[in-house]
Amino acid sequence: MAEPRRSTSVVRLRSRSSVLLVVTSVVGFVGFAWPLFIHGTSSFAQAHSADAPWIFVAVLPLLLAVVLSALAEGSLDAKAIALLGILAACGAALRIPSPGVAGFEPVFFLLIPAGRVMGRGFGFVLGVLTLAVSALITGGVGPWLPFQMFGAGWLGFGAGCLPPVRGRAEVWLLAGYAAVACLLYGTLLNLYFWPFGAGTNTSFSFVPGAGLLHNLHTFVLFDLTTSLGFDIPRAVTNAALVLLLGRPVLAALRRASRRAAFGAPVVH
């Protein structure tokens, strides 16, 4: 007999955690997009390679503060923390066999259904923790880590913002979102790397003070030239996994969410 349909409990961030998430996201956006608006000398691009560790030091505590604030406010109760830990560990395990090799990176597969079912706040926190844990396991800790954490957090957040559809249409919606989001993730990471990774004497080098349109054009050239061979396989891999396994994963997450009743008061 089919289980009667009940409402799914969504993990919602409270006011302080939500405000901190917004502030952190604004700082993250500035960390990604500053090359498009900076004015200065042509030597600044090379100098940024020395500044990258300081960006790591400034941004990483903000990301962790969102997680800690959610814990302190009770947005994440013991049941949500347990599920968060399981999903983060599973996501990190998916990255072990091939951490970005040739773009085969299924680490986002669980993140998208989880953000969809558990809510955008849970999706953001899960994305941040998944990339942090996987970096510790695979030895991928470096100045790029907070940018990867931002990208994964926003990816999980976006999954929780998708329109309400069910059935096969939902699986196709999530698969399409997975493909687009994985491409955007690669673009974001390139935007972080571009100012000091493209050199100074190429047709797609960062030119401080050249203006928004010029630098945006050169960045698009850099992105298309250097990373589509990684971004497209990542997008195809995660979209295919959602199509193949999305329905049972969504059902399992919804069942766990209903039985956990996140946010319900505990009766002693």
Side-chain angles (χ1 to χ4, degrees):
M1 181 175 178
E3 181 180 349
R5 178 170 292 181
R6 291 170 287 173
S7 60
T8 301
S9 299
V10 176
V11 179
R12 302 185 185 277
L13 297 184
R14 298 182 183 176
S15 57
R16 185 174 61 186
S17 301
S18 298
V19 170
L20 187 56
L21 189 152
V22 171
V23 172
T24 303
S25 293
V26 170
V27 173
F29 175 78
V30 173
F32 278 109
W34 67 263
L36 299 177
F37 305 100
I38 196 69
H39 296 279
T41 63
S42 59
S43 62
F44 188 83
Q46 294 301 313
H48 176 69
S49 61
D51 295 340
W54 296 106
I55 296 177
F56 175 91
V57 171
V59 170
L60 187 59
L62 287 174
L63 288 167
L64 296 178
V66 174
V67 179
L68 294 176
S69 176
L71 294 175
E73 283 189 315
S75 301
L76 299 173
D77 59 15
K79 295 169 288 187
I81 293 171
L83 182 59
L84 186 66
I86 292 171
L87 292 175
C90 291
L94 287 172
R95 203 180 187 195
I96 294 175
S98 55
V101 176
F104 179 77
E105 200 171 30
V107 66
F108 304 117
F109 161 59
L110 285 177
L111 176 57
I112 293 170
R116 169 70 170 178
V117 173
M118 302 298 174
R120 52 183 180 260
F122 186 93
F124 182 88
V125 174
L126 177 60
V128 168
L129 288 181
T130 298
L131 267 291
V133 172
S134 67
L136 293 174
I137 294 175
T138 62
V141 178
W144 54 83
L145 178 58
F147 296 95
Q148 292 177 332
M149 293 165 67
F150 264 121
W154 288 336
L155 192 149
F157 185 92
C161 298
L162 294 174
V165 294
R166 297 296 287 268
R168 195 62 186 169
E170 181 181 35
V171 176
W172 281 102
L173 174 66
L174 293 182
Y177 174 78
V180 173
C182 286
L183 289 173
L184 291 177
Y185 174 85
T187 300
L188 276 175
L189 267 294
N190 273 344
L191 187 57
Y192 145 72
F193 177 74
W194 166 55
F196 58 92
T200 58
N201 299 315
T202 68
S203 59
F204 43 73
S205 296
F206 168 57
V207 181
L212 173 62
L213 292 179
H214 178 274
N215 275 325
L216 184 60
H217 173 71
T218 55
F219 168 69
V220 170
L221 290 178
F222 174 77
D223 185 54
L224 294 177
T225 303
T226 61
S227 70
L228 281 184
F230 290 87
D231 294 343
I232 291 177
R234 180 194 295 120
V236 171
T237 297
N238 285 275
L241 286 173
V242 170
L243 285 176
L244 291 173
L245 303 174
R247 177 169 285 185
V249 171
L250 287 168
L253 288 171
R254 288 192 168 110
R255 189 178 303 112
S257 176
R258 289 193 296 267
R259 292 179 177 177
F262 298 118
V266 177
V267 179
H268 297 282

